[in-house]
Amino acid sequence: MKRILIAGATSAIAMACARKWVDGGARFALIGRNGERLEAIARDLEARGAEHVSVHRLDMTALELHAETLQACYEALNVVDIALVAHGTLPDQRECETSVSTALREFSNNAVSVIAFLTALAQQMERQGHGTIAVISSVAGDRGRRSNYLYGSAKAAVTAFCEGLRGRLWTAGVHLMTIKPGFVDTPMTRHLDLPRALVVGPEHVAKDIVRGIERGKNTLYTPWFWAWIMPLLRGLPDSIFKRIRL
Amino acid sequence: MTLSFQSWGRYPALPQRVRYCHWRDELARVLGAALGEGDTTLPVGNGRSYGDSCLAASGQVLRMRPLDRIIAVDWATGRIEAEAGVTLEEVLALSIPRGWFLPVTPGTRYVTLGGAVANDVHGKNHHVRGTFGRHVRRIGLVRSERAPLVCGPETERDWFAVTVGGLGLSGVIDWVELQLLPIRSSLVDSIEMRFDNLDEFFDLSALHDASYEYSVAWIDCLARGNETGRGVYMAGNHAAEGALAVDMRRQFALPFAPRGSLVNAVSLRMFNGVYYRAHSPMARKRVGYGPFFYPLDAILHWNRMYGAKGFQQYQCVVPEDAAREGIRALLEAVAASGMGSFLAVLKRCGDLASPGLLSFPMPGVSLALDFPQHDDIDAKLFSRLDAITRAASGRLYPAKDAHMTGADFRRAYPAWEQVEAKRDPALTSRFWQRVTRS
Ligand SMILES: Cc1cc2nc3c(=O)[nH]c(=O)nc-3n(C[C@H](O)[C@H](O)[C@H](O)COP(=O)(O)OP(=O)(O)OC[C@H]3O[C@@H](n4cnc5c(N)ncnc54)[C@H](O)[C@@H]3O)c2cc1C
Ligand SMILES: NC(=O)c1ccc[n+]([C@@H]2O[C@H](COP(=O)([O-])OP(=O)(O)OC[C@H]3O[C@@H](n4cnc5c(N)ncnc54)[C@H](OP(=O)(O)O)[C@@H]3O)[C@@H](O)[C@H]2O)c1
């Protein structure tokens, strides 16, 4: 039986992962900011066979409450085998270009809250001496595109932070996997006109995440073809990249 | 992502914009907004209806499929309460290992609970269990101009009657509580018997229906003369022992629709003849529930084989006393037209009353036929079939329909005015517009 903690548990990708974990027997501690939706997910997981689900209401931007909530999760689970950090928002880039407060709020939600939470979580996991932390970053963090660079820069911060933290945790026997999804069909992207051929459903990504964790992957591109696309994009010189409308 | 939404027949091809419902708490707001803007929408499930009953009059549908959470389940009593976008496939994946099956299932498991209620679907066991709605305990209904309500056979019965088989018009179904059927095995003990003409079908059905939970017949609709109505009668019961295993067969998908239809005179003649001969006069087999109930689910998007123009299904039910002559006349008309059907399915409907005001089944025999769409199909074939159905006091199934006249609908479903009276002002479909306003 696995003991699983999820931050941003109302995310479609997180939900799809949780349903996969249920099959092998699991206890969950779910963190999210919408109590009603968290409850709905908890009931669903229980009906699907989860052994126990506890819900913890928290807006991840309330940094001062992280330690307390984490404590409550540990009390419910005792030990954490897998911690998935999934929360995030996709800002309106245009708005971020004219409103400093929007830009910083979005950066805070996508980067600062993640870094803060990981800092608290890493200490607990280090003490525990085993388990996996999986953090959802994004391919968007691999290169800042003009259409989406506020979000991209926040995810870049998360990716770099995780890269360093992975080394530190490795010495303590804890694994950290950075997840870089491409385009996933979830509430976050429903309003966008994405290239259909590149879009996958959350179940697809969840399957990759669950397997990636089992195999101890360090960085997971999902679906796999992003592992080929992103190096090409990164390899483009700035003199060309700045001219491309991406 | 602005994915378009199509009905299963891909005809009529009316572009639909899609709004998604991810959480139940969003519904009241979405509906209120539609009403406020003087706009209408239509809740849709998985688009497994064939014609235009799952297309919004406004061209803006509300997709309920993302509402796919189980709310509560009691495996001791087999009661499951789930959000409306949960599919029958998802219910089975959970319930089979615990010894429960759907009380009623249509010929595909890719329909949602909301869609199954809104069409009050029937299955091969209609003669013993009636329609899906008979097994629904409670429904959560969200309306644009009032507080959400719960209806069922014991509470708010008039809302239940307009919602079951209500074509998505009485409000948005956000959850459904269903009573499942206990099984001891996921296998089905099946029997197949070939029959040489329509009279033999009626004899077989009269003789065997009572001893089988499930029964249905396939007809070779190209056969003529004294072979008219030859086919294969198939029946089955849940096996008394065996594994409780979820069907995991891999599916094959048709990747795209060819321009023209793969179903044509040549392929039809081949298929119908071969299918008939492939069956021995009589065979008993123990089979998985997948191939027994859902043979077509083995090919994902099989509807694409009809090409860019799509296809129409003609499904009618003819009352018992007129069934023999009526079905014969229909089959003769089809054979005479030279427009064969790839699949022709005969099913006896029993006399268990449906809870919905617009439920399709009635005691008698139902016939379903698929035809590639072409421009003169109405004039050349459907108008003839409609005349026969009308003369026999039968009726057509809205879930499959893209052609019936308003007059035929209103005659066959006189309770339509009660549904119209309780229709949510924010909801209406192309079908409803077509049959109530013309
Ligand atoms: C291969 C195949 C075999 C079939 N066999 C049978 C059969 O044996 N017996 C039978 O009865 N039918 C059969 N059908 C038809 C199918 O079962 C019905 O059309 C079913 O209602 C489709 O469900 P759906 O979830 O796809 O809903 P849709 O087709 O998307 O919608 C169907 C109707 O339900 C309404 N609706 C959907 N969700 C909601 C909601 N949440 N709230 C309110 N209204 C809603 C829609 O407005 C629409 O009127 C078959 C279809 C196929 C493709
Ligand atoms: N979808 C994609 O294409 C894609 C691609 C790359 C990366 N990602 C990343 O994948 C992760 C999951 O996203 P998703 O696609 O599953 O979208 P989603 O369903 O919209 O999930 C995002 C979830 O994060 C929650 N959340 C946001 N801010 C929060 C906060 N401050 N406190 C608590 N919860 C908060 C939201 O909760 P509410 O329900 O309360 O709003 C929402 O449920 C995100 O980190 C996203 O950046 C997604």
Side-chain angles (χ1 to χ4, degrees):
Chain A
M1 194 198 48
K2 292 197 183 70
R3 288 140 298 187
I4 296 161
L5 182 159
I6 305 179
T10 45
S11 127
I13 295 176
M15 170 83 177
C17 292
R19 285 185 178 172
K20 298 208 183 296
W21 283 319
V22 159
D23 285 341
R27 286 175 77 87
F28 292 93
L30 306 179
I31 304 174
R33 62 181 171 186
N34 184 319
E36 210 176 308
R37 294 179 179 185
L38 271 184
E39 285 295 341
I41 288 176
R43 295 294 83 78
D44 178 71
L45 292 175
E46 275 167 0
R48 286 168 196 270
E51 227 152 272
H52 184 260
V53 186
S54 63
V55 302
H56 308 269
R57 243 184 110 170
L58 172 70
D59 185 322
M60 294 299 286
T61 54
L63 309 183
E64 68 286 359
L65 299 177
H66 282 188
E68 194 179 302
T69 305
L70 197 55
Q71 195 53 42
C73 292
Y74 258 89
E75 270 158 28
L77 295 178
N78 234 342
V79 175
V80 173
D81 299 305
I82 297 171
L84 176 66
V85 181
H87 69 282
T89 43
L90 188 61
D92 180 341
Q93 174 60 32
R94 276 292 169 74
E95 204 185 317
C96 293
E97 286 164 17
T98 50
S99 159
V100 176
S101 64
T102 303
L104 294 185
R105 190 188 65 230
E106 290 295 340
F107 191 86
S108 181
N109 199 23
N110 286 297
V112 176
S113 75
V114 176
I115 290 171
F117 188 71
L118 286 175
T119 302
L121 178 65
Q123 295 174 56
Q124 293 270 15
M125 298 284 282
E126 244 174 351
R127 224 169 289 142
Q128 183 184 291
H130 70 91
T132 300
I133 302 177
V135 183
I136 309 188
S137 183
S138 170
V139 294
D142 280 9
R143 195 143 197 199
R145 292 174 299 126
R146 68 164 91 163
S147 64
N148 195 20
Y149 62 83
L150 192 286
Y151 177 75
S153 62
K155 291 297 191 186
V158 169
T159 299
F161 183 86
C162 286
E163 217 167 4
L165 181 59
R166 171 162 41 244
R168 176 184 134 204
L169 289 176
W170 178 72
T171 59
V174 175
H175 182 62
L176 189 150
M177 178 169 91
T178 309
I179 304 160
K180 296 183 180 176
F183 299 134
V184 193
D185 182 20
T186 70
M188 184 177 278
T189 53
R190 278 278 153 77
H191 59 289
L192 302 177
D193 223 348
L194 298 174
R196 275 184 65 178
L198 300 182
V199 178
V200 297
E203 298 76 26
H204 182 126
V205 169
K207 199 166 133 207
D208 287 351
I209 292 175
V210 169
R211 203 174 39 203
I213 291 174
E214 278 162 13
R215 297 190 179 166
K217 264 191 135 359
N218 294 312
T219 296
L220 174 77
Y221 282 95
T222 166
W224 60 271
F225 49 77
W226 292 98
W228 295 87
I229 297 176
M230 292 321 292
L232 291 178
L233 211 58
R234 267 203 315 272
L236 282 181
D238 285 326
S239 53
I240 296 176
F241 191 70
K242 71 180 180 190
R243 294 186 160 81
I244 306 178
R245 291 188 162 277
L246 265 178
Chain B
M1 226 179 343
T2 40
L3 288 179
S4 56
F5 180 85
Q6 286 181 311
S7 73
W8 190 247
R10 308 168 87 233
Y11 173 85
L14 300 165
Q16 301 280 312
R17 278 162 295 126
V18 183
R19 203 181 278 143
Y20 291 84
C21 176
H22 293 280
W23 300 96
R24 281 156 64 196
D25 62 44
E26 293 171 345
L27 266 177
R29 188 174 42 78
V30 171
L31 281 186
L35 192 65
E37 290 159 18
D39 207 0
T40 62
T41 182
L42 183 75
V44 297
N46 218 14
R48 253 55 182 187
S49 301
Y50 287 64
D52 54 2
S53 67
C54 61
L55 303 179
S58 62
Q60 169 84 60
V61 292
L62 179 60
R63 256 208 108 164
M64 302 298 291
R65 177 73 182 102
L67 275 190
D68 68 349
R69 288 166 280 262
I70 312 291
I71 298 167
V73 58
D74 179 350
W75 295 121
T77 58
R79 291 257 173 109
I80 185 164
E81 193 184 324
E83 291 179 348
V86 169
T87 62
L88 300 187
E89 179 194 30
E90 290 166 343
V91 171
L92 289 173
L94 285 177
S95 70
I96 284 181
R98 280 114 173 164
W100 296 95
F101 200 75
L102 295 162
V104 165
T105 178
T108 173
R109 67 198 121 176
Y110 304 132
V111 310
T112 63
L113 291 174
V117 169
N119 275 323
D120 196 14
V121 299
H122 59 277
K124 297 179 188 179
N125 59 355
H126 187 271
H127 60 292
V128 286
R129 308 233 178 244
T131 59
F132 192 84
R134 288 180 66 94
H135 309 274
V136 171
R137 309 297 314 152
R138 290 183 311 151
I139 292 171
L141 194 65
V142 180
R143 305 231 336 154
S144 63
E145 29 54 298
R146 54 165 288 172
L149 63 107
V150 175
C151 62
E154 275 134 35
T155 40
E156 304 277 9
R157 281 159 56 181
D158 42 347
W159 284 108
F160 190 64
V162 292
T163 301
V164 173
L167 303 171
L169 303 167
S170 67
V172 178
I173 300 167
D174 68 336
W175 58 268
V176 174
E177 186 185 33
L178 183 67
Q179 174 63 55
L180 300 170
L181 180 80
I183 49 169
R184 278 190 269 174
S185 156
S186 55
L187 299 173
V188 177
D189 284 328
S190 75
I191 179 163
E192 290 177 356
M193 286 173 259
R194 216 160 72 174
F195 51 89
D196 294 331
N197 55 54
L198 202 58
D199 284 333
E200 280 185 29
F201 161 78
F202 280 91
D203 296 345
L204 283 174
S205 164
L207 195 62
H208 295 288
D209 278 0
S211 28
Y212 289 97
E213 167 90 21
Y214 304 102
S215 85
V216 71
W218 168 85
I219 300 270
D220 173 357
C221 58
L222 295 178
R224 305 182 67 160
N226 54 12
E227 285 185 335
T228 295
R230 72 174 185 181
V232 183
Y233 174 83
M234 298 170 238
N237 284 318
H238 291 286
E241 83 271 308
L244 286 166
V246 179
D247 180 35
M248 301 287 234
R249 282 175 312 159
R250 270 190 75 104
Q251 290 164 330
F252 165 79
L254 273 190
F256 61 91
R259 278 176 64 100
S261 171
L262 303 178
V263 180
N264 54 41
V266 179
S267 62
L268 272 176
R269 196 155 290 284
M270 270 176 51
F271 175 80
N272 277 271
V274 168
Y275 192 86
Y276 180 73
R277 282 185 204 92
H279 285 80
S280 43
M282 170 152 155
R284 285 178 193 278
K285 281 189 281 193
R286 183 167 277 196
V287 294
Y289 72 92
F292 183 80
F293 291 104
Y294 313 114
L296 291 169
D297 285 353
I299 304 175
L300 212 57
H301 308 306
W302 62 261
N303 54 340
R304 290 176 179 162
M305 77 179 176
Y306 286 94
K309 281 190 168 173
F311 69 115
Q312 289 196 54
Q313 181 166 100
Y314 189 94
Q315 182 170 8
C316 62
V317 57
V318 179
E320 200 61 61
D321 53 8
R324 233 173 244 253
E325 291 67 40
I327 299 288
R328 182 186 312 284
L330 288 165
L331 289 173
E332 277 168 356
V334 171
S337 77
M339 295 186 238
S341 165
F342 202 55
L343 287 169
V345 177
L346 266 190
K347 162 78 200 130
R348 165 158 266 124
C349 294
D351 55 9
L352 294 167
S354 308
L357 289 173
L358 299 184
S359 300
F360 160 71
M362 61 162 95
V365 175
S366 140
L367 173 68
L369 306 150
D370 290 348
F371 300 97
Q373 172 59 22
H374 55 84
D375 300 336
D376 48 6
I377 193 161
D378 267 11
K380 285 216 173 119
L381 182 62
F382 288 176
S383 56
R384 289 233 44 216
L385 302 183
D386 287 349
I388 299 168
T389 306
R390 194 181 307 127
S393 302
R395 63 188 176 207
L396 290 152
Y397 191 3
K400 309 290 179 72
D401 187 71
H403 85 278
M404 86 169 97
T405 65
D408 275 342
F409 174 77
R410 295 189 297 263
R411 178 194 51 76
Y413 295 94
W416 73 274
E417 279 171 306
Q418 293 174 60
V419 174
E420 173 63 10
K422 282 201 141 66
R423 181 168 64 82
D424 189 315
L427 308 178
T428 190
S429 64
R430 285 297 295 226
F431 174 83
W432 197 248
Q433 231 176 22
R434 178 162 65 80
V435 298
T436 60
R437 299 222 192 127
S438 63

